[in-house]
Amino acid sequence: MQGVNQLFWPAVCINCRESICESDRSLCRDCWSELLGCVGADYCPRCGRDVSRYAIVAGVCPDCQGKEFHFDGIARSGVYKVGESLQQMIVAFKNGRTELDSTLGFLANSALQGSSFVNAIEFFVPVPLHWSRRLTRGYNQSLILANELKHPTAKISTDLARTRRTKYQPVMASAAARARNVAGAFAVRKGHNFSGRNICLVDDIKTTGATLNECAKTLKEAGASKVFALVLAVAGQNIS
Ligand SMILES: [Zn+2]
Ligand SMILES: [Zn+2]
């Protein structure tokens, strides 16, 4: 049976293509340990940036003190650092390597289980792509990720849509420029079920948080009660 399985799923690491002996694993030992080295650090439950747990006062890091966000909290797997394993896998996942779904899903599930809001979630809402971009890419990576999430009751809703195509922005674009770029870019579909519900947005990367913030604002205007966010990686540690 093992031999037959390996015909269909040859036991190679989906990241580096090294052969592996355990056919039930998708990554080789080296890739696993590199990937796990990118996740699990302490972070601010409000903005997701790296911060020691002792620096968190009243639930936020020093950088978040006095700041207003439309989302109520965040869970993240790791940090988006160019050249690191997590960043490379996220880029590959966006560029056609959808077979990374279960590996990245595993990381997202761990972050979700470690969050304070997991039990409150009623809907997972993937951050939408504009239809024209989804057509070019063929899929929305955030929806694939949402499909990997394990939750006893929450359902996925795709009733948040991107109504305007926004520009790609370099990581270093200012927070104000990013906020302008996404302002008014989202809307909820007719017949949505968000009123009074607790929602968790799902995305691959948070940079300044402008996109998550705009999505959360749109969902709250549609009557959502709480809006949380779950991302694989938080980028732009030094951008405020
Ligand atoms: Zn490998
Ligand atoms: Zn913070």
Side-chain angles (χ1 to χ4, degrees):
M1 198 55 204
Q2 172 119 10
V4 174
N5 267 332
Q6 286 186 358
L7 276 181
F8 295 101
W9 292 285
V12 292
C13 171
I14 55 167
N15 189 47
C16 70
R17 316 258 185 216
E18 274 290 307
S19 62
I20 45 180
C21 4
E22 310 96 308
S23 56
D24 58 332
R25 287 178 145 230
S26 47
L27 287 180
C28 72
R29 217 168 278 236
D30 288 350
C31 287
W32 259 124
S33 64
E34 238 186 83
L35 188 59
L36 293 178
C38 298
V39 301
D42 289 338
Y43 62 90
C44 170
R46 203 75 180 78
C47 69
R49 289 198 191 111
D50 272 346
V51 63
S52 141
R53 70 184 68 181
Y54 305 107
I56 294 172
V57 178
V60 299
C61 74
D63 201 60
C64 285
Q65 299 283 349
K67 277 195 192 154
E68 293 285 337
F69 299 104
H70 291 289
F71 54 93
D72 298 278
I74 194 166
R76 63 144 228 221
S77 306
V79 167
Y80 192 83
K81 275 198 199 125
V82 174
E84 286 196 350
S85 167
L86 178 61
Q87 180 262 347
Q88 289 172 341
M89 281 196 205
I90 292 172
V91 170
F93 184 54
K94 260 198 221 278
N95 288 290
R97 299 282 309 278
T98 49
E99 69 273 26
L100 291 164
D101 57 352
S102 61
T103 304
L104 293 173
F106 170 81
L107 299 184
N109 273 306
S110 313
L112 179 66
Q113 293 311 320
S115 75
S116 60
F117 53 80
V118 57
N119 294 322
I121 302 168
E122 297 172 276
F123 285 112
F124 288 113
V125 173
V127 169
L129 295 179
H130 189 253
W131 65 267
S132 60
R133 186 152 287 157
R134 194 179 54 240
L135 205 65
T136 323
R137 189 176 291 162
Y139 58 95
N140 176 0
Q141 71 279 7
S142 301
L143 175 58
I144 295 186
L145 195 61
N147 275 315
E148 290 295 315
L149 298 174
K150 294 180 174 42
H151 195 283
T153 49
K155 305 247 180 314
I156 294 174
S157 168
T158 54
D159 281 342
L160 179 69
R162 198 183 286 245
T163 51
R164 185 160 62 71
R165 191 178 164 124
T166 49
K167 287 179 283 198
Y168 278 120
Q169 296 202 98
V171 168
M172 291 316 289
S174 75
R178 283 180 168 270
R180 272 196 307 275
N181 188 32
V182 293
F186 300 93
V188 293
R189 294 185 210 282
K190 278 201 186 91
H192 71 82
N193 210 1
F194 295 141
S195 190
R197 303 303 183 109
N198 294 323
I199 293 166
C200 181
L201 290 160
V202 181
D203 208 357
D204 50 356
I205 309 162
K206 168 189 178 274
T207 306
T208 59
T211 301
L212 291 174
N213 211 38
E214 191 65 24
C215 287
K217 181 170 171 250
T218 308
L219 290 169
K220 286 197 170 168
E221 283 167 358
S225 173
K226 296 266 186 201
V227 180
F228 305 100
L230 172 66
V231 297
L232 287 171
V234 169
Q237 292 279 314
N238 302 315
I239 298 167
S240 55

